[in-house]
Structures are given as structure tokens and as C-alpha cells.
């Protein structure tokens, strides 16, 4: 007998189906909640059994329901939808007023649906949650089939997800000049060199540079440095910036030798906003925004085109189709990129650097011409066009060699390294193959300056935090010239084009994103439409003390120091003998947490500085912090001695 019959009264209770409620309040890790369908739009099916009614969702998902005045019963059949792949495993939870009443345990593809039936008498709030089964959220298609609430009183309703208001922590930079950015730059002898002194403060500003090698020229008004890198050696350059308020100096070491990317590259990439909708005008306007919005004053430098600039083989589209190569084998751009050379010239004039993308396979992930069998030709073309950064994405290379065994995994990257070594240009070599074969263990050996450690990021908490917090252990493999890359930033307006939306990360989650990526010495590639930069996003991207952690010349990424419940503490040593400490709250509620000088190995007390607020907190043995749900704090701890 069904429990609700126990409450039998003269009337039968009313029934409301989950999928008939307001689904705009459903939060989920991927896709949209689907009425009477799986998340991919097929008939709901669990373990071979089909269901006519229910809600198709995707881990990690949460639905809060206000149960109204007289609820009776919740019931459903739950499980992984049959359309999911083998990695699809999830766990279902039902909470009544915050207390767990049902936990399915981890369910896998093909498992028979589990029945849920929970009496709701006296309960005010019902929470339906789907977890990721303990791994990433890939293919976690989760069904609440035949899900319904029986009630007598007022109608149960889904509850709006509380919206966190943006809060700005980064103080405005002083009006006096201040020179920002890394303390060390790498270049190879005789190669083209482009840099722009990053400096905040009132304009107009004038720049001077003592000790600048004679092969380089400084534009005194803009701070743009152009020319050729000199002979091998370390050149300490004393930079000075002067404006109406005063002057400030700082030294930077130009190390001319075999290594480039001595600190993680910082810039922008077209993929997370424009994807296939990228074109030259969008890239030009991104570069313009670097200057107009002041990103250049904080060290942002690379303007990178991702996929979709070459020809689509066999396409009839007059803009995207046509011969893939010139008669001499030189790769051709599609109609959206009429002149790469003019584009990079204009980028270099601003003191910025330019990036391009290809695959070792016959086509890119988007189906555009790439470099298989033309590695040397393409490296030469990119050098001739003036590119300074190459993202080299595995994509269709599996058609050439199976992604098995270290030999196969390394081959395309060794080949392209050999081609890049032949051209007369400093080109950052960014490996993208999603972490296959533990690439962090050999990315440097095959000549990579950075390597993606994971699949693609998206702008959800589960994706960003799942990637970010799983980087522990990789830190030992990174250092000046070779970096782990947990993928690009998903703050601001993103969307994989042409339609964009504001990131779905909450403000606190975005602080966690930038804090964690800074601690990890990750390349920082902004993924949003820079023409839509708002004050909050700009505050995230222009905090010089936070960026200084990412750009620290010691180049030792953070590791996870400790975990207590939902709180994680990550630490790293810095070049000046101090330490950076990030403290994170991965839980669903706000928390009080504490960190200590001993977390970074300091005995007794430490001088503590809050880096986001750029504020000294005093000398202490430990400090308590209030952390918002999914939020964090970033501190610098130095010895008092
Ligand atoms: C993916 C890569 C993305 C983006 C995309 C372009 O493989 O991980 O970052 O480059 O290809 O098609």
C-alpha cells in the first residue's frame, strides 16, 4: 500500500508532476532540464525501461521545492538515462528541510531505476540533488522519472536559486605610476621581441629604461618595446614611469637564452566566446580592448585565435571553402581572415603578441584544415605571418595514430617542436590533448611551454571546480618555461558563439577560479568577449597582487596542503621567500574557516596580507576568515624575522 493512503481523508490528494513545475529554477552542470525527455531530448529510459513522464537533467543538479501548506508524499524512479556513455555515473539525493532522506548510492549506466517514496508531512522544503558519482560530470545524464508530489494544501513550487550580487574586492590602482607584470622575461637571441611595460596610474605617462639592450627600442609615450633580442645573457633593465603625480621605478630581468614563457602566458583566446563565429574584426577589437580597458597595464599580452581560421575542406561556402593550400603548400586562411600579417602587425604595434591554433591531424576539431604532413610549412607560415603562440590540438590525429602508448602520444608534438625549432621566431608551444598519457609528466620533454591537463572547461561550478581542484600533484612537473594548463578562463560574457551569455559562475565562484588558476601558475587566457567587460570582471582580471602570484618568477605552482570537510587550503612558495595561501569553501553554505602560519611551514607567527583586498592584516599565528559558499580568500604570508 502506498504511504499516502495512510493519510486518507475524504478527498484524494492532488498530484503535481516535477516536470510541470517552473524548471527555470533547476540548476544543472550541463544542458537544460527537459520535460518528459532525457537531457539530450530522447525518451526517458533507465536500465531498458521507458518512462512517459519525468524530468531529464544532468549532474550536478539541484532543485529546491517549497512544498506549500500540506504536502503528503514525494515519489520517483531514478537512474542514469540509457543514452549516457559508460562514464555516466551519478548519485541521487532527496533532502527534507535539509535532512537527507534518500541516497541512491552511485548508479551506473544500465542499472535498473531505483524507487523513491518519501512521506512529506510537516516538511516545508524538498531538495532534489544529483551528484557526479564521485568523478567528473561527463555523460552524467540523470532522470527523475515519474517524479511527483502529492499534496492537499497550496501547490508546491520550485524555489528561485538565490542570486549572489557581484562584489568588488580589488582596490582602484593609485594615480601615481606603478609598474606591474612579471619581474622576468625570456627571449631567444636575435629573435623579434615585443613587449609593453605594464603600468597603472594617470595618463599621460612617460617611460624610460636604463640598461635596455641597443637592439630594442622603447616608445616613451606608450611603453611599447620592439626590436630584436640581444645576445645571450641576463639584462637587468631599470624601468621608470613618470606622470603628473610622480614617478616609480622597477627592475625587470630580460633573460636571453633557450627558454621563453618564463612566467605563464597571459592573454585572451577566441574559443570560449566566439568559437566558430570568430573573425578578424573580433580579434582586432579584442586587441583594442586590451589597451582601452587597461588590461595591458596589468601584463595581459597574448591575443590568440583558436580554431576556425583556415579552410574547411570540400566546403561550398564561398567564405570558408576553397583550396586548402597555395600551390607551394602554404596553408590558406578562410575569408574571415583576409590578412594575417596585417593583423599581427597591428597587434605587435600595440606591444601585444598574437597566437594561432592548429592540429597535428588532417583537420582541426572544428573540421578546418590543419597541419598533418605540413608541419614545417605551417610553422614557417605562422612565423612569416608573425605569430608568437601556437595551440596545437590533438583533434583528428587519432585518424593518423591511435592515442595509445607514449610514443604515439608524443609523436605529433615532437614533430611540431622540430618544425618550430627551424623557424626564426619565438613561438610559445601550447600542447592541447586533454591530459592523455599524463602529459604533465612529459610535456616539457617534448618541448611544450604548456600543456592542457584536462578536457574542455565550461562556465559551471562543477566543470571549473572539478578541473581546478583536481590539479594537485601536477605542480612538480611545472616551472619557468613549462606550465600545466587547466584550460581557459570562463569569466565575463562567454558562450562558444555566436550567442553569448554572462558566465554562469557566481561572483564567489569566479574569485575561486582566478585565485586557483593564479596559485596553479596556469596560463591565464581570458575566454570572454572583451567588448563586454564589466566592472566586476575587470576587478577579477586586474588585481596586480593576485596576478603577481601567477607570474611569480620562482614558478612553483601550489599544492593542496590540507582538506577539512568542505574547506581546502592550497599553498605555494614565492620568489621573495614568502608564501601564497588560498583557502576555499567547496560547500553549499557559507562557512567560517581558519588558516595558520604553520600551513606554509612558518613557525610561530606570520605577517599576513589579504591579496584580493591588497590590505595588511597584521602579524598572527592563525587567522579566521568568513568564506561564502564556493568562495575563497588569497593571502600572502611572510616570516616576521
Ligand atoms: C578543443 C579544445 C578547445 C578548442 C576546440 C576548438 O579540442 O580543447 O579548447 O580549441 O577544440 O575546436
Amino acid at each position: 500500500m502506498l504511504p499516502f493512503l495512510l493519510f486518507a481523508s475524504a478527498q484524494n490528494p492532488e498530484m503535481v508532476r516535477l516536470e510541470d513545475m517552473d524548471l527555470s529554477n533547476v540548476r544543472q552542470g550541463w544542458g537544460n532540464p527537459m520535460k518528459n525527455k532525457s537531457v539530450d531530448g530522447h525518451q526517458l529510459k533507465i536500465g531498458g525501461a521507458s518512462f512517459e513522464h519525468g524530468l531529464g537533467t544532468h549532474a550536478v543538479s539541484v532543485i529546491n521545492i517549497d512544498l506549500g501548506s500540506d504536502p503528503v508524499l514525494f515519489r520517483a524512479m531514478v537512474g542514469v538515462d540509457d543514452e549516457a556513455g559508460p562514464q555516466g555515473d551519478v548519485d541521487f539525493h532527496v533532502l527534507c528541510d535539509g535532512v537527507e532522506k534518500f541516497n541512491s548510492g552511485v548508479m551506473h549506466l544500465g542499472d535498473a531505476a531505483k524507487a523513491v517514496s518519501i512521506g512529506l508531512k510537516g516538511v516545508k522544503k524538498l531538495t532534489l540533488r544529483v551528484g557526479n558519482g564521485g568523478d567528473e560530470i561527463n555523460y552524467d545524464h540523470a532522470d527523475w522519472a515519474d517524479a511527483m508530489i502529492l499534496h492537499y494544501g497550496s501547490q508546491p513550487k520550485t524555489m528561485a536559486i538565490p542570486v549572489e550580487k557581484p562584489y568588488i574586492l580589488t582596490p582602484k590602482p593609485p594615480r601615481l605610476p606603478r609598474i606591474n607584470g612579471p619581474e622576468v622575461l625570456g627571449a631567444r637571441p636575435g629573435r623579434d621581441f615585443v613587449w609593453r611595460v605594464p603600468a597603472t596610474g594617470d595618463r599621460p605617462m612617460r617611460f624610460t629604461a636604463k640598461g635596455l639592450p641597443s637592439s630594442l627600442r622603447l616608445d616613451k609615450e606608450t611603453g611599447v618595446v620592439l626590436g630584436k633580442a640581444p645576445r645571450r645573457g641576463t639584462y637587468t633593465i631599470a624601468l621608470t614611469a613618470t606622470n603628473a603625480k610622480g614617478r616609480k621605478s622597477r627592475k625587470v630581468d630580460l633573460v636571453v637564452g633557450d627558454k621563453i614563457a618564463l612566467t605563464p602566458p597571459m592573454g585572451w583566446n577566441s574559443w570560449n566566446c566566439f568559437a566558430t563565429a570568430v573573425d578578424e574584426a573580433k580579434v582586432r577589437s579584442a586587441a583594442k580592448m586590451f589597451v582601452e580597458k587597461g588590461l595591458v597595464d596589468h601584463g595581459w599580452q597574448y591575443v590568440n585565435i583558436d580554431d576556425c581560421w583556415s579552410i574547411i575542406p570540400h566546403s561550398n561556402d564561398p567564405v570558408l571553402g576553397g583550396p586548402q593550400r597555395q600551390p607551394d603548400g602554404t596553408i590558406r586562411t578562410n575569408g574571415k581572415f583576409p590578412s594575417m600579417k596585417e593583423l599581427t602587425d597591428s597587434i605587435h604595434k600595440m606591444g601585444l603578441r598574437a597566437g594561432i591554433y592548429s592540429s597535428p591531424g588532417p583537420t582541426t576539431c572544428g573540421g578546418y584544415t590543419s597541419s598533418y604532413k605540413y608541419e614545417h610549412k605551417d610553422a614557417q607560415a605562422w612565423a612569416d605571418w608573425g605569430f608568437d603562440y601556437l595551440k596545437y590540438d590533438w583533434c583528428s590525429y587519432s585518424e593518423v595514430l591511435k592515442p595509445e602508448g607514449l610514443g604515439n602520444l608524443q609523436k605529433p608534438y615532437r614533430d611540431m617542436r622540430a618544425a618550430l625549432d627551424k623557424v626564426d621566431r619565438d613561438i610559445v608551444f601550447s600542447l592541447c590533448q586533454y591530459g592523455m598519457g599524463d602529459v604533465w609528466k612529459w610535456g616539457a620533454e617534448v618541448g611544450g611551454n604548456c600543456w592542457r591537463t584536462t578536457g574542455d572547461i565550461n562556465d559551471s561550478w562543477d566543470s571549473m571546480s572539478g578541473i581546478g581542484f583536481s590539479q594537485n600533484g601536477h605542480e612538480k612537473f611545472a616551472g619557468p618555461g613549462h606550465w600545466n594548463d587547466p584550460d581557459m578562463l570562463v569569466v565575463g560574457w562567454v558562450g562558444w558563439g555566436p550567442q553569448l551569455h554572462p558566465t554562469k559562475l557566481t561572483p564567489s565562484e569566479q574569485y575561486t577560479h582566478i585565485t586557483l588558476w593564479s596559485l596553479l601558475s596556469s596560463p591565464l587566457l581570458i575566454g570572454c568577449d572583451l567588448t563586454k567587460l564589466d566592472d566586476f570582471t575587470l576587478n577579477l582580471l586586474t588585481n596586480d597582487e593576485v596576478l603577481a602570484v601567477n607570474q611569480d618568477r620562482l614558478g612553483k605552482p601550489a599544492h593542496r596542503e590540507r582538506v577539512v570537510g568542505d574547506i581546502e587550503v592550497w599553498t605555494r612558495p614565492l620568489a621573495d621567500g614568502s608564501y601564497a595561501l588560498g583557502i576555499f569553501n567547496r560547500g553549499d553554505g557559507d562557512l567560517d574557516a581558519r588558516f595558520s602560519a604553520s600551513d606554509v611551514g612558518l613557525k610561530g607567527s606570520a605577517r599576513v596580507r589579504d591579496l584580493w583586498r591588497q590590505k595588511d592584516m597584521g602579524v598572527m599565528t592563525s587567522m579566521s576568515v568568513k568564506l561564502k559558499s564556493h568562495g575563497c580568500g588569497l593571502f600572502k604570508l611572510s616570516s616576521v624575522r
Side-chain angles (χ1 to χ4, degrees):
M1 187 198 302
L2 286 168
F4 73 86
L5 296 180
L6 298 174
F7 300 97
S9 69
Q11 275 166 291
N12 282 331
E14 285 178 44
M15 176 188 82
V16 54
R17 290 189 181 274
L18 181 59
E19 67 275 13
D20 290 333
M21 296 187 184
D22 178 357
L23 300 183
S24 67
N25 294 326
V26 177
R27 199 188 88 191
Q28 61 185 53
W30 186 88
N32 294 312
M34 300 289 279
K35 176 175 173 165
N36 300 331
K37 293 259 187 298
S38 68
V39 73
D40 264 356
H42 303 121
Q43 159 128 57
L44 294 163
K45 231 178 179 186
I46 305 171
S50 300
F51 297 86
E52 205 179 315
H53 293 283
L55 179 76
T57 181
H58 194 287
V60 171
S61 131
V62 183
I63 312 168
N64 285 311
I65 298 168
D66 173 346
L67 287 169
S69 53
D70 196 2
V72 178
L73 181 86
F74 170 73
R75 67 177 198 207
M77 300 294 286
V78 298
V80 176
D81 194 280
D82 285 0
E83 76 187 0
Q87 292 152 280
D89 40 26
V90 302
D91 41 286
F92 292 82
H93 306 259
V94 180
L95 289 80
C96 292
D97 292 328
V99 180
E100 186 169 86
K101 296 289 178 187
F102 173 83
N103 179 338
S104 67
V106 178
M107 295 187 72
H108 303 277
L109 177 71
D111 288 353
K114 287 192 180 172
V116 188
S117 176
I118 292 166
L120 297 177
K121 198 162 174 53
V123 179
K124 302 234 156 347
K125 177 177 160 194
L126 183 73
T127 303
L128 306 180
R129 185 175 289 160
V130 185
N132 59 12
D135 56 10
E136 290 186 20
I137 63 165
N138 301 341
Y139 298 103
D140 283 354
H141 299 199
D143 296 341
W144 295 93
D146 273 343
M148 61 184 76
I149 293 167
L150 303 173
H151 65 102
Y152 286 112
S154 55
Q155 180 94 351
K157 287 190 181 98
T158 58
M159 296 161 74
I161 305 161
V163 180
E164 189 183 50
K165 287 223 177 73
Y167 51 101
I168 288 183
L169 296 180
T170 304
K172 283 237 168 323
R175 299 182 62 186
L176 200 78
R178 192 176 66 194
I179 299 174
N180 305 305
E183 290 171 359
V184 61
L185 306 169
R188 282 183 272 226
R191 302 278 171 89
D192 280 354
F193 183 83
V194 183
W195 189 57
R196 181 172 181 131
V197 182
T200 47
D202 284 3
R203 267 28 186 206
M205 199 177 276
R206 277 188 75 78
F207 295 89
T208 59
K210 262 204 204 126
L212 189 72
S214 58
S215 56
L216 296 173
R217 287 176 320 279
L218 166 76
D219 181 311
K220 294 199 163 44
E221 261 96 66
T222 59
V224 171
V225 178
L226 290 170
K228 299 269 182 205
R231 274 190 279 145
R232 282 172 187 272
T234 297
Y235 302 80
T236 299
I237 305 165
L239 300 161
T240 301
T242 311
N243 68 9
K245 295 277 162 195
R247 70 166 51 192
K248 258 287 167 57
S249 298
R250 204 178 112 177
K251 289 192 173 127
V252 64
D253 284 338
L254 171 62
V255 181
V256 184
D258 297 319
K259 282 191 181 178
I260 56 170
L262 297 183
T263 62
M266 286 173 63
W268 173 88
N269 171 294
S270 58
W271 185 253
N272 287 352
C273 44
F274 301 129
T276 59
V278 68
D279 60 29
E280 184 184 307
K282 291 195 175 82
V283 178
R284 277 182 186 269
S285 78
K288 200 163 143 228
M289 289 303 126
F290 268 58
V291 180
E292 268 178 30
K293 306 269 182 175
L295 291 170
V296 287
D297 303 340
H298 306 272
W300 296 93
Q301 191 176 31
Y302 287 91
V303 180
N304 294 356
I305 308 169
D306 205 275
D307 200 352
C308 310
W309 58 267
S310 53
I311 298 288
I312 301 185
H314 317 298
S315 166
N316 293 327
D317 186 314
V319 176
L320 304 175
Q324 293 167 248
R325 293 180 176 272
Q326 313 278 19
D328 71 352
T330 304
I331 191 162
R332 292 183 65 240
T333 58
N334 64 44
K336 296 197 297 174
F337 289 90
S339 172
M340 287 299 200
K341 183 77 181 89
E342 280 170 31
L343 176 59
T344 64
D345 278 351
S346 74
I347 290 175
H348 292 148
K349 268 198 201 114
M350 293 185 233
L352 301 173
R353 300 180 183 175
I356 192 134
Y357 166 101
S358 189
S359 163
T363 53
T364 66
C365 298
Y368 292 70
T369 305
S370 53
S371 302
Y372 179 53
K373 290 193 171 157
Y374 287 92
E375 292 78 4
H376 288 267
K377 274 273 168 206
D378 288 358
Q380 192 58 56
W382 301 322
D384 293 344
W385 290 341
F387 281 102
D388 310 289
Y389 190 112
L390 167 68
K391 172 173 170 184
Y392 205 45
D393 193 349
W394 181 276
C395 300
S396 67
Y397 195 72
S398 304
E399 294 168 21
V400 178
L401 278 184
K402 287 213 170 71
E404 292 167 356
L406 273 192
N408 286 8
L409 290 173
Q410 294 179 349
K411 179 159 190 332
Y413 295 98
R414 288 191 191 280
D415 289 349
M416 183 47 78
R417 178 73 265 170
L420 291 174
D421 284 343
K422 290 234 163 71
V423 301
D424 188 24
R425 195 164 182 89
D426 283 351
I427 298 179
V428 172
F429 188 29
S430 156
L431 277 47
C432 177
Q433 46 84 289
Y434 340 113
M436 291 189 292
D438 292 352
V439 62
W440 45 91
K441 296 185 180 154
W442 50 266
E445 186 192 319
V446 301
N449 295 115
C450 50
W451 44 83
R452 278 270 297 278
T453 54
T454 72
D456 286 17
I457 197 167
N458 67 49
D459 58 323
S460 70
W461 167 248
D462 301 292
S463 168
M464 184 279 288
S465 68
I467 288 175
F469 289 111
S470 65
Q471 299 303 306
N472 191 47
H474 299 166
E475 69 282 354
K476 348 183 214 313
F477 304 103
H482 49 280
W483 308 103
N484 294 307
D485 174 5
D487 207 1
M488 302 175 288
L489 302 176
V490 278
V491 300
W493 281 71
V494 292
W496 296 269
Q499 299 300 333
L500 304 187
H501 60 260
T503 178
K504 291 180 187 156
L505 296 179
T506 66
S508 292
E509 291 169 354
Q510 295 179 63
Y511 279 112
T512 289
H513 189 14
I514 303 297
T515 301
L516 198 47
W517 265 238
S518 294
L519 282 164
L520 293 172
S521 302
S522 166
L524 296 178
L525 291 172
I526 304 170
C528 68
D529 180 351
L530 295 180
T531 63
K532 289 194 164 67
L533 266 188
D534 55 280
D535 289 348
F536 174 73
T537 312
L538 210 50
N539 134 85
L540 292 169
L541 301 174
T542 57
N543 190 310
D544 297 300
E545 297 195 21
V546 173
L547 295 174
V549 172
N550 175 270
Q551 293 292 300
D552 184 69
R553 66 186 296 171
L554 191 60
K556 276 200 176 304
H559 69 279
R560 184 189 285 121
E561 181 62 30
R562 63 185 169 88
V563 185
V564 185
D566 288 328
I567 302 293
E568 295 200 6
V569 173
W570 290 61
T571 64
R572 64 180 279 179
L574 299 172
D576 66 359
S578 67
Y579 297 86
L581 178 148
I583 181 162
F584 301 90
N585 171 9
R586 295 183 69 175
D588 287 335
D590 298 357
L591 282 176
D592 290 321
R594 186 169 274 281
F595 65 85
S596 310
S598 62
D599 284 327
V600 296
L602 287 174
K603 294 216 168 63
S605 40
R607 204 176 299 285
V608 178
R609 184 164 173 87
D610 182 327
L611 296 184
W612 276 109
R613 295 181 175 80
Q614 300 184 355
K615 202 168 140 195
D616 287 329
M617 307 307 290
V619 171
M620 49 194 82
T621 48
S622 72
M623 186 176 143
S624 77
V625 277
K626 288 206 175 305
L627 297 178
K628 292 184 190 276
S629 163
H630 299 177
C632 67
L634 179 63
F635 300 90
K636 182 166 174 165
L637 278 69
S638 7
S639 162
V640 278
R641 266 177 249 144

